[in-house]
Amino acid sequence: MLKDFKKSKPEEKEALNAEIKELRAHLIAQQQQLREAKLPVLILLEGWAAAGKGSLIKDIISEIDPRFYNVVSPMVIPENESRYPFLYPYATAIPENGKLIFLDSGWMESAVQKTLSLEISKEEYKRRVRSVNEFERQLRDGGYLLLKIFLHIDEEEQFKRLEALSENMDTEWRVNREDLWQHREYKKFLNAYDEFMEDTNDTIPWHILDGQRKKVAARDALKLLVGLIDKALEKGRYTGEPFEEKFPLIKMPKLAEVDLSPTISDEEYKKELKRLQKRLAELHNVIYRKKIPVILCYEGWDAAGKGGNIRRVANPLDPRGFDVHPIASPEPHELNRQYLWRFWTRLPRTGHICIFDRTWYGRVMVERLEGFCSEKDWKRAYNEINEFERQLTDWGAVLLKFWIHIDSDTQLARFNDRQNTPEKQWKITDEDWRNREKWPQYEEAVNEMLKKTSTENAPWFIIESNDKKYARIKALKIVVKALEDACDKHFKREFG
Amino acid sequence: MLKDFKKSKPEEKEALNAEIKELRAHLIAQQQQLREAKLPVLILLEGWAAAGKGSLIKDIISEIDPRFYNVVSPMVIPENESRYPFLYPYATAIPENGKLIFLDSGWMESAVQKTLSLEISKEEYKRRVRSVNEFERQLRDGGYLLLKIFLHIDEEEQFKRLEALSENMDTEWRVNREDLWQHREYKKFLNAYDEFMEDTNDTIPWHILDGQRKKVAARDALKLLVGLIDKALEKGRYTGEPFEEKFPLIKMPKLAEVDLSPTISDEEYKKELKRLQKRLAELHNVIYRKKIPVILCYEGWDAAGKGGNIRRVANPLDPRGFDVHPIASPEPHELNRQYLWRFWTRLPRTGHICIFDRTWYGRVMVERLEGFCSEKDWKRAYNEINEFERQLTDWGAVLLKFWIHIDSDTQLARFNDRQNTPEKQWKITDEDWRNREKWPQYEEAVNEMLKKTSTENAPWFIIESNDKKYARIKALKIVVKALEDACDKHFKREFG
């Protein structure tokens, strides 16, 4: 890639300027079409320090409506980064439909720098490369237009530019330690950039532009962008084809096979509740200090007892260290972005616990059954979700998923009870009755979900909840066990 | 306040527990009522280190639905704080309707600590106290329930607790440098807390609870909270009365008096545009290094040329250092919070520029005229907005407000042009025509707005835009002048 890069030839200035002018006019015209077609565009701009990334962006956007794009630069990112997964700053910054964002350096610079500074291991680097490939593909499959540019200058040119910046009092602050380090280790970086680009070139290809000739680079970038948008406007929003990657799966029973008879005595319940909650409180403390993030996912039938179950888990926790996110139908600004965005933005910081009351699995349940997304969309989601969850557990998160299960008769009894008890009436709506009519379709969808997404790193647990007390104790035991294991593993990683 | 605090007497344990149990049950019942009444609740919990704030929160929420509340603790806040106004972390964390949040330490601890550590001057302290009073009143007037609690322990008790925590390997990490410093300077802190509480007691009163007796404090806090909610449920959502504070105002002409004839020649326009944009680019650099935040507000008639004007200002800026926020009608999650929330969350970081394309002045224009808020609401807003803007300029922001002005005939001509030009048709909607019919009412509202909110620190500028080019140059000149002044003043502050 970079090693074989051929410098661009000098071009006739006036012709070049005319070309740029025309491309800009074209881009201006595309603005409104993109808005109408609701297409989101993400431009990743990587490259050498002092290669001119900032001015390249300026050259591209020079005349377009500033309400139409955003620029996200690393200056805005670093402070939170270490408390969140690697891709968090980028995944939370993706544009909404009809808008365009520029990432002025993104996942490549971050991965390469941290590898060369030995902040992350080679294994972690590989995981990050995999995450990047997954992330880019998911965006593309969700209809995003992605353009990846690397702005290249050679070692000599970089030296000249850094020197010129450093010698001028007004610009010397622009040269930072990382830039000087990069220049000193130019060859190492060259190899590392090349390796990264080769590793991430298959799904969305890289484009290397010549930073030595500013105008040529601007023209080439505009051409790429305008071409990409034209193609998308012509073909319409892309929807990716489903495909299955092999994840190590845990075999799950079908819902119909689950024995819902287990119960617990009141006495045993009280004793166990007390013991487990006490233990959970202790573990929360350890989790916090060891900075282990914890994500608990609750799904289940209406009236299965999700709320009460969540309450028993949340109750012993230090309220400063956890959040519960009730997930309702997405709001307009959420619908306008890839479907996992509203979960990325709700992730816990390291050391915190967050509980999702309903989750991203809405994609393969309600959105599938109500037609809120296309068949390709929900079929693709199993794999996408497995990838997303692996990114979370790679980050170090404990991720547990509960299906709170009851049978249809129990649901009916609870619905009737709610309907007939004035204080509970708010808990039951027409929608609940409508959903109940679709029990068989939901059951099929749940079975498929359990089968395809119970991975070893993020397993599903079916919680038998005809007896709610039994269900609470079962969930608590699973949480306690998982946190104990995580603390133990973490201890080994730190000292062993 | 604290100096006169009388310790609570020991109470009979069983009666106390029974009381707590009853209050909790009451609070559980209130959850759903609060949700239905869409009332937001904010509980500010301040107090000594090791006074037991965390466990007090736990005692209060012990049985309520965790989806119903959130706890915001200072652990989550500090890292961004210094790049935003003092109240930013709290103003962006206010609950949505029907929800409850706890601030585990908030604006009081922050103001007191920074004053005693001499990080902020006495003058800045006073400004912060004023901001706090304004902020609390605005929340109350907007229908928020506020409860302010200080959890008190005496010096001896604090010593015992800190010692006990420090001696235990599992808890010593809980005691940090600030805690030890606070203990060493117990008397200074006592005086400072007292002063702060006296300064902020008039609008929303403080309640001092006895941290020495955990159960008593829990009972008292629950009683206060339950009482507050009951009262609000009975009386309905509170709406504050409008009142006027005297702000130093700049006299503005009425719109009808504005001479709209000024124009600029094409030649002069090109020359000036080039000169001003070049200067603006230089200034953006300085602004960035000096960390001066800049906020530009655009309001104006439909088709007055806001978009093109904004583009000429944004064009020369480094795209990594500015954002344009187009403000449309609020989304559901925005409507569910105080009306300024969606602007707080969009403020620039220090050193950054943000441009609002329409602003918080929607309150006294479209919301007023379309009845989207009550008369009291919009009448109160002039003062609230002046306060909000003073908080921003106190923080150091340059805040400029442009009214892009045209006459009714010019609007009609531009509307017709849009209607008759295929590429421009998307720019004109039925709503624009409807709004046009209300020109006289809007003119009255704009006149009142200009009269009441053109403060010395955040002035309005009427930009005559019958000639759009003239308008662009005028706006650019104002921006350039204001940034030059700000850099100059900042220079004096730093070195003079």
Side-chain angles (χ1 to χ4, degrees), chain B residues 122-165:
Chain B
K122 200 67 198 172
E123 285 65 41
E124 174 59 17
Y125 171 79
K126 278 183 192 155
R127 283 194 289 270
R128 292 193 176 191
V129 164
R130 184 176 64 191
S131 309
V132 163
N133 281 320
E134 292 166 353
F135 181 64
E136 292 182 0
R137 171 174 37 71
Q138 289 196 20
L139 286 180
R140 183 202 63 188
D141 287 357
Y144 280 67
L145 310 190
L146 263 79
L147 179 60
K148 287 159 40 181
I149 290 174
F150 185 94
L151 198 59
H152 184 49
I153 49 174
D154 64 25
E155 194 172 352
E156 195 184 341
E157 178 74 14
Q158 193 184 37
F159 179 79
K160 272 192 232 159
R161 294 192 186 181
L162 290 176
E163 195 182 43
L165 286 171

Short mmCIF file of all heavy atoms in Angstrom, two decimals, chain B residues 122-165:
data_model
loop_
_atom_site.label_atom_id
_atom_site.label_comp_id
_atom_site.label_asym_id
_atom_site.label_seq_id
_atom_site.Cartn_x
_atom_site.Cartn_y
_atom_site.Cartn_z
N LYS B 122 -13.15 35.20 45.00
CA LYS B 122 -14.37 35.51 45.75
C LYS B 122 -15.45 36.05 44.79
O LYS B 122 -16.63 35.77 44.96
CB LYS B 122 -14.03 36.54 46.83
CG LYS B 122 -15.04 36.62 47.97
CD LYS B 122 -15.07 35.36 48.82
CE LYS B 122 -16.38 35.31 49.62
NZ LYS B 122 -16.59 34.04 50.34
N GLU B 123 -15.02 36.82 43.81
CA GLU B 123 -15.99 37.37 42.84
C GLU B 123 -16.62 36.24 42.04
O GLU B 123 -17.82 36.23 41.81
CB GLU B 123 -15.30 38.35 41.86
CG GLU B 123 -14.96 39.71 42.44
CD GLU B 123 -13.91 39.60 43.54
OE1 GLU B 123 -12.95 38.81 43.37
OE2 GLU B 123 -14.07 40.26 44.59
N GLU B 124 -15.78 35.33 41.61
CA GLU B 124 -16.30 34.21 40.84
C GLU B 124 -17.25 33.38 41.72
O GLU B 124 -18.29 32.92 41.27
CB GLU B 124 -15.15 33.34 40.32
CG GLU B 124 -15.54 32.05 39.61
CD GLU B 124 -16.43 32.25 38.39
OE1 GLU B 124 -16.53 33.36 37.87
OE2 GLU B 124 -17.06 31.24 37.99
N TYR B 125 -16.89 33.23 42.98
CA TYR B 125 -17.77 32.52 43.91
C TYR B 125 -19.14 33.18 43.94
O TYR B 125 -20.18 32.52 43.88
CB TYR B 125 -17.15 32.50 45.31
CG TYR B 125 -18.08 31.99 46.38
CD1 TYR B 125 -18.31 30.64 46.55
CD2 TYR B 125 -18.76 32.88 47.21
CE1 TYR B 125 -19.18 30.16 47.52
CE2 TYR B 125 -19.64 32.42 48.19
CZ TYR B 125 -19.84 31.06 48.34
OH TYR B 125 -20.72 30.61 49.28
N LYS B 126 -19.14 34.50 44.03
CA LYS B 126 -20.42 35.22 44.10
C LYS B 126 -21.22 35.03 42.82
O LYS B 126 -22.44 34.89 42.85
CB LYS B 126 -20.17 36.71 44.33
CG LYS B 126 -19.92 37.00 45.81
CD LYS B 126 -19.73 38.49 46.05
CE LYS B 126 -19.19 38.70 47.46
NZ LYS B 126 -18.45 39.97 47.56
N ARG B 127 -20.53 35.06 41.71
CA ARG B 127 -21.24 34.81 40.45
C ARG B 127 -21.85 33.40 40.44
O ARG B 127 -22.95 33.19 39.96
CB ARG B 127 -20.28 34.96 39.26
CG ARG B 127 -19.97 36.41 38.91
CD ARG B 127 -19.29 36.50 37.54
NE ARG B 127 -17.93 35.98 37.57
CZ ARG B 127 -16.84 36.72 37.83
NH1 ARG B 127 -16.96 38.01 38.07
NH2 ARG B 127 -15.65 36.17 37.84
N ARG B 128 -21.12 32.46 40.99
CA ARG B 128 -21.64 31.10 41.00
C ARG B 128 -22.85 30.97 41.91
O ARG B 128 -23.81 30.28 41.58
CB ARG B 128 -20.54 30.12 41.43
CG ARG B 128 -19.46 30.05 40.36
CD ARG B 128 -18.49 28.91 40.55
NE ARG B 128 -17.57 28.91 39.41
CZ ARG B 128 -16.72 27.95 39.11
NH1 ARG B 128 -16.65 26.88 39.87
NH2 ARG B 128 -15.94 28.03 38.06
N VAL B 129 -22.79 31.66 43.04
CA VAL B 129 -23.95 31.63 43.93
C VAL B 129 -25.16 32.21 43.21
O VAL B 129 -26.27 31.66 43.26
CB VAL B 129 -23.65 32.44 45.22
CG1 VAL B 129 -24.94 32.76 45.96
CG2 VAL B 129 -22.69 31.65 46.11
N ARG B 130 -24.93 33.30 42.50
CA ARG B 130 -26.05 33.89 41.76
C ARG B 130 -26.57 32.93 40.70
O ARG B 130 -27.79 32.74 40.56
CB ARG B 130 -25.58 35.19 41.10
CG ARG B 130 -26.70 35.93 40.39
CD ARG B 130 -26.23 37.26 39.85
NE ARG B 130 -25.21 37.05 38.81
CZ ARG B 130 -24.46 38.02 38.30
NH1 ARG B 130 -24.60 39.27 38.73
NH2 ARG B 130 -23.57 37.75 37.38
N SER B 131 -25.66 32.28 39.97
CA SER B 131 -26.09 31.31 38.95
C SER B 131 -26.92 30.20 39.57
O SER B 131 -27.91 29.76 39.01
CB SER B 131 -24.89 30.65 38.27
OG SER B 131 -23.98 31.59 37.81
N VAL B 132 -26.47 29.74 40.73
CA VAL B 132 -27.18 28.66 41.40
C VAL B 132 -28.60 29.09 41.75
O VAL B 132 -29.57 28.37 41.52
CB VAL B 132 -26.42 28.22 42.67
CG1 VAL B 132 -27.31 27.41 43.59
CG2 VAL B 132 -25.17 27.44 42.27
N ASN B 133 -28.73 30.29 42.30
CA ASN B 133 -30.07 30.77 42.64
C ASN B 133 -30.95 30.89 41.41
O ASN B 133 -32.13 30.53 41.43
CB ASN B 133 -29.98 32.11 43.36
CG ASN B 133 -29.61 31.93 44.83
OD1 ASN B 133 -30.08 31.00 45.50
ND2 ASN B 133 -28.77 32.80 45.35
N GLU B 134 -30.37 31.37 40.34
CA GLU B 134 -31.14 31.49 39.10
C GLU B 134 -31.54 30.12 38.57
O GLU B 134 -32.69 29.89 38.20
CB GLU B 134 -30.29 32.20 38.03
CG GLU B 134 -30.01 33.66 38.34
CD GLU B 134 -28.91 34.28 37.47
OE1 GLU B 134 -28.26 33.52 36.69
OE2 GLU B 134 -28.69 35.50 37.56
N PHE B 135 -30.58 29.23 38.58
CA PHE B 135 -30.80 27.88 38.05
C PHE B 135 -31.90 27.16 38.85
O PHE B 135 -32.81 26.56 38.28
CB PHE B 135 -29.48 27.11 38.13
CG PHE B 135 -29.53 25.71 37.62
CD1 PHE B 135 -29.80 25.45 36.28
CD2 PHE B 135 -29.27 24.63 38.46
CE1 PHE B 135 -29.82 24.15 35.80
CE2 PHE B 135 -29.30 23.33 37.99
CZ PHE B 135 -29.57 23.08 36.66
N GLU B 136 -31.82 27.25 40.17
CA GLU B 136 -32.83 26.58 41.00
C GLU B 136 -34.22 27.19 40.77
O GLU B 136 -35.21 26.47 40.66
CB GLU B 136 -32.44 26.69 42.48
CG GLU B 136 -31.19 25.90 42.83
CD GLU B 136 -30.85 25.97 44.32
OE1 GLU B 136 -31.57 26.64 45.08
OE2 GLU B 136 -29.83 25.35 44.72
N ARG B 137 -34.26 28.51 40.70
CA ARG B 137 -35.56 29.14 40.49
C ARG B 137 -36.13 28.75 39.13
O ARG B 137 -37.31 28.45 39.00
CB ARG B 137 -35.45 30.66 40.60
CG ARG B 137 -36.74 31.37 40.17
CD ARG B 137 -36.76 32.86 40.39
NE ARG B 137 -35.52 33.54 40.18
CZ ARG B 137 -34.95 33.75 38.97
NH1 ARG B 137 -35.54 33.29 37.88
NH2 ARG B 137 -33.81 34.41 38.90
N GLN B 138 -35.26 28.73 38.11
CA GLN B 138 -35.75 28.38 36.77
C GLN B 138 -36.30 26.96 36.73
O GLN B 138 -37.32 26.70 36.10
CB GLN B 138 -34.63 28.52 35.74
CG GLN B 138 -34.26 29.97 35.46
CD GLN B 138 -33.44 30.12 34.18
OE1 GLN B 138 -33.45 29.25 33.32
NE2 GLN B 138 -32.76 31.25 34.05
N LEU B 139 -35.64 26.06 37.41
CA LEU B 139 -36.15 24.69 37.45
C LEU B 139 -37.50 24.66 38.17
O LEU B 139 -38.47 24.07 37.69
CB LEU B 139 -35.16 23.76 38.15
CG LEU B 139 -33.90 23.39 37.36
CD1 LEU B 139 -33.02 22.46 38.18
CD2 LEU B 139 -34.25 22.72 36.03
N ARG B 140 -37.55 25.30 39.32
CA ARG B 140 -38.80 25.32 40.07
C ARG B 140 -39.92 25.93 39.23
O ARG B 140 -41.01 25.37 39.11
CB ARG B 140 -38.63 26.14 41.35
CG ARG B 140 -39.88 26.16 42.21
CD ARG B 140 -39.91 27.34 43.15
NE ARG B 140 -39.94 28.61 42.40
CZ ARG B 140 -39.81 29.82 42.95
NH1 ARG B 140 -39.63 29.93 44.26
NH2 ARG B 140 -39.86 30.92 42.21
N ASP B 141 -39.64 27.07 38.61
CA ASP B 141 -40.66 27.74 37.82
C ASP B 141 -41.06 26.92 36.60
O ASP B 141 -42.15 27.10 36.05
CB ASP B 141 -40.16 29.12 37.38
CG ASP B 141 -40.13 30.10 38.55
OD1 ASP B 141 -40.55 29.71 39.66
OD2 ASP B 141 -39.68 31.25 38.36
N GLY B 142 -40.18 26.03 36.19
CA GLY B 142 -40.50 25.17 35.06
C GLY B 142 -41.19 23.89 35.49
O GLY B 142 -41.39 22.99 34.68
N GLY B 143 -41.56 23.79 36.77
CA GLY B 143 -42.33 22.65 37.22
C GLY B 143 -41.53 21.53 37.87
O GLY B 143 -42.07 20.47 38.17
N TYR B 144 -40.25 21.76 38.09
CA TYR B 144 -39.43 20.74 38.74
C TYR B 144 -39.64 20.77 40.26
O TYR B 144 -39.79 21.84 40.84
CB TYR B 144 -37.94 20.98 38.45
CG TYR B 144 -37.53 20.47 37.09
CD1 TYR B 144 -38.01 21.06 35.93
CD2 TYR B 144 -36.69 19.36 36.97
CE1 TYR B 144 -37.67 20.58 34.68
CE2 TYR B 144 -36.33 18.89 35.72
CZ TYR B 144 -36.82 19.49 34.58
OH TYR B 144 -36.48 19.01 33.34
N LEU B 145 -39.63 19.60 40.86
CA LEU B 145 -39.60 19.53 42.32
C LEU B 145 -38.15 19.43 42.75
O LEU B 145 -37.42 18.55 42.29
CB LEU B 145 -40.35 18.30 42.83
CG LEU B 145 -41.76 18.07 42.29
CD1 LEU B 145 -42.44 16.96 43.09
CD2 LEU B 145 -42.58 19.33 42.35
N LEU B 146 -37.75 20.33 43.63
CA LEU B 146 -36.37 20.35 44.10
C LEU B 146 -36.32 20.11 45.60
O LEU B 146 -37.05 20.74 46.35
CB LEU B 146 -35.72 21.70 43.82
CG LEU B 146 -34.88 21.78 42.55
CD1 LEU B 146 -35.78 21.94 41.35
CD2 LEU B 146 -33.89 22.93 42.64
N LEU B 147 -35.43 19.23 46.01
CA LEU B 147 -35.23 19.00 47.43
C LEU B 147 -33.74 19.10 47.70
O LEU B 147 -32.94 18.43 47.05
CB LEU B 147 -35.75 17.61 47.80
CG LEU B 147 -35.59 17.17 49.26
CD1 LEU B 147 -36.33 18.12 50.21
CD2 LEU B 147 -36.13 15.75 49.44
N LYS B 148 -33.38 19.98 48.64
CA LYS B 148 -31.96 20.19 48.94
C LYS B 148 -31.64 19.74 50.35
O LYS B 148 -32.17 20.29 51.31
CB LYS B 148 -31.60 21.67 48.75
CG LYS B 148 -31.55 22.08 47.29
CD LYS B 148 -31.69 23.57 47.04
CE LYS B 148 -30.97 24.46 48.02
NZ LYS B 148 -31.20 25.90 47.71
N ILE B 149 -30.79 18.76 50.46
CA ILE B 149 -30.47 18.19 51.77
C ILE B 149 -28.98 18.33 52.04
O ILE B 149 -28.14 18.10 51.15
CB ILE B 149 -30.85 16.69 51.79
CG1 ILE B 149 -32.38 16.55 51.78
CG2 ILE B 149 -30.25 15.98 52.99
CD1 ILE B 149 -32.86 15.13 51.66
N PHE B 150 -28.65 18.71 53.28
CA PHE B 150 -27.25 18.67 53.70
C PHE B 150 -27.12 17.64 54.83
O PHE B 150 -27.83 17.72 55.83
CB PHE B 150 -26.78 20.04 54.20
CG PHE B 150 -25.31 20.06 54.53
CD1 PHE B 150 -24.38 20.45 53.59
CD2 PHE B 150 -24.86 19.64 55.78
CE1 PHE B 150 -23.01 20.45 53.89
CE2 PHE B 150 -23.50 19.62 56.09
CZ PHE B 150 -22.58 20.02 55.14
N LEU B 151 -26.24 16.68 54.65
CA LEU B 151 -26.09 15.64 55.65
C LEU B 151 -24.91 15.99 56.55
O LEU B 151 -23.76 16.06 56.10
CB LEU B 151 -25.87 14.30 54.94
CG LEU B 151 -26.11 13.05 55.80
CD1 LEU B 151 -27.54 13.02 56.35
CD2 LEU B 151 -25.85 11.79 54.98
N HIS B 152 -25.23 16.19 57.81
CA HIS B 152 -24.25 16.77 58.73
C HIS B 152 -23.71 15.75 59.74
O HIS B 152 -24.45 14.95 60.28
CB HIS B 152 -24.96 17.91 59.50
CG HIS B 152 -24.04 18.67 60.41
ND1 HIS B 152 -22.83 19.16 60.00
CD2 HIS B 152 -24.19 19.05 61.71
CE1 HIS B 152 -22.25 19.80 61.00
NE2 HIS B 152 -23.06 19.73 62.06
N ILE B 153 -22.39 15.80 59.93
CA ILE B 153 -21.79 15.11 61.08
C ILE B 153 -20.76 16.06 61.69
O ILE B 153 -20.22 16.92 60.99
CB ILE B 153 -21.07 13.78 60.69
CG1 ILE B 153 -20.13 13.99 59.49
CG2 ILE B 153 -22.06 12.67 60.41
CD1 ILE B 153 -19.28 12.77 59.14
N ASP B 154 -20.49 15.92 62.98
CA ASP B 154 -19.53 16.85 63.56
C ASP B 154 -18.10 16.35 63.36
O ASP B 154 -17.86 15.27 62.84
CB ASP B 154 -19.86 17.16 65.03
CG ASP B 154 -19.76 15.92 65.91
OD1 ASP B 154 -19.01 14.98 65.55
OD2 ASP B 154 -20.42 15.88 66.96
N GLU B 155 -17.17 17.18 63.77
CA GLU B 155 -15.77 16.93 63.46
C GLU B 155 -15.29 15.60 64.05
O GLU B 155 -14.60 14.81 63.40
CB GLU B 155 -14.92 18.09 64.02
CG GLU B 155 -13.52 18.11 63.49
CD GLU B 155 -12.76 19.38 63.90
OE1 GLU B 155 -13.39 20.31 64.48
OE2 GLU B 155 -11.54 19.44 63.66
N GLU B 156 -15.70 15.37 65.27
CA GLU B 156 -15.29 14.16 65.98
C GLU B 156 -15.80 12.90 65.27
O GLU B 156 -15.08 11.93 65.06
CB GLU B 156 -15.88 14.25 67.39
CG GLU B 156 -15.29 13.29 68.38
CD GLU B 156 -16.05 13.43 69.73
OE1 GLU B 156 -16.71 14.48 69.93
OE2 GLU B 156 -16.00 12.48 70.52
N GLU B 157 -17.07 12.97 64.90
CA GLU B 157 -17.66 11.83 64.21
C GLU B 157 -16.98 11.59 62.86
O GLU B 157 -16.71 10.45 62.47
CB GLU B 157 -19.16 12.10 63.98
CG GLU B 157 -19.90 11.01 63.23
CD GLU B 157 -20.16 9.76 64.08
OE1 GLU B 157 -20.01 9.85 65.32
OE2 GLU B 157 -20.50 8.71 63.49
N GLN B 158 -16.67 12.67 62.17
CA GLN B 158 -15.99 12.52 60.88
C GLN B 158 -14.62 11.85 61.07
O GLN B 158 -14.24 10.97 60.31
CB GLN B 158 -15.82 13.87 60.17
CG GLN B 158 -15.40 13.69 58.72
CD GLN B 158 -15.13 15.00 57.98
OE1 GLN B 158 -14.59 15.94 58.56
NE2 GLN B 158 -15.51 15.06 56.72
N PHE B 159 -13.93 12.28 62.11
CA PHE B 159 -12.64 11.67 62.41
C PHE B 159 -12.77 10.17 62.58
O PHE B 159 -12.06 9.37 61.97
CB PHE B 159 -12.03 12.30 63.67
CG PHE B 159 -10.71 11.68 64.04
CD1 PHE B 159 -9.54 12.04 63.36
CD2 PHE B 159 -10.62 10.70 65.04
CE1 PHE B 159 -8.33 11.45 63.68
CE2 PHE B 159 -9.41 10.11 65.37
CZ PHE B 159 -8.25 10.49 64.69
N LYS B 160 -13.73 9.78 63.41
CA LYS B 160 -13.94 8.35 63.68
C LYS B 160 -14.20 7.58 62.38
O LYS B 160 -13.66 6.51 62.14
CB LYS B 160 -15.17 8.17 64.60
CG LYS B 160 -14.83 8.24 66.08
CD LYS B 160 -16.03 7.76 66.90
CE LYS B 160 -16.37 8.79 67.95
NZ LYS B 160 -17.75 8.70 68.46
N ARG B 161 -15.06 8.14 61.57
CA ARG B 161 -15.43 7.42 60.35
C ARG B 161 -14.29 7.32 59.35
O ARG B 161 -14.06 6.28 58.75
CB ARG B 161 -16.64 8.11 59.68
CG ARG B 161 -17.89 8.00 60.54
CD ARG B 161 -19.11 8.40 59.77
NE ARG B 161 -20.28 8.42 60.65
CZ ARG B 161 -21.51 8.71 60.26
NH1 ARG B 161 -21.74 9.01 58.99
NH2 ARG B 161 -22.51 8.69 61.11
N LEU B 162 -13.59 8.44 59.18
CA LEU B 162 -12.47 8.40 58.23
C LEU B 162 -11.40 7.44 58.71
O LEU B 162 -10.80 6.69 57.93
CB LEU B 162 -11.89 9.81 58.03
CG LEU B 162 -12.78 10.80 57.28
CD1 LEU B 162 -12.13 12.19 57.24
CD2 LEU B 162 -13.06 10.33 55.85
N GLU B 163 -11.19 7.44 60.02
CA GLU B 163 -10.20 6.52 60.58
C GLU B 163 -10.61 5.07 60.35
O GLU B 163 -9.81 4.24 59.92
CB GLU B 163 -10.03 6.81 62.07
CG GLU B 163 -8.78 6.16 62.65
CD GLU B 163 -8.66 6.42 64.15
OE1 GLU B 163 -9.68 6.32 64.88
OE2 GLU B 163 -7.55 6.72 64.60
N ALA B 164 -11.87 4.79 60.64
CA ALA B 164 -12.35 3.42 60.45
C ALA B 164 -12.22 2.98 59.00
O ALA B 164 -11.78 1.86 58.70
CB ALA B 164 -13.81 3.30 60.92
N LEU B 165 -12.57 3.86 58.08
CA LEU B 165 -12.46 3.53 56.66
C LEU B 165 -11.00 3.28 56.27
O LEU B 165 -10.67 2.35 55.55
CB LEU B 165 -13.03 4.65 55.78
CG LEU B 165 -14.55 4.79 55.71
CD1 LEU B 165 -14.93 6.09 54.98
CD2 LEU B 165 -15.18 3.60 54.99
#
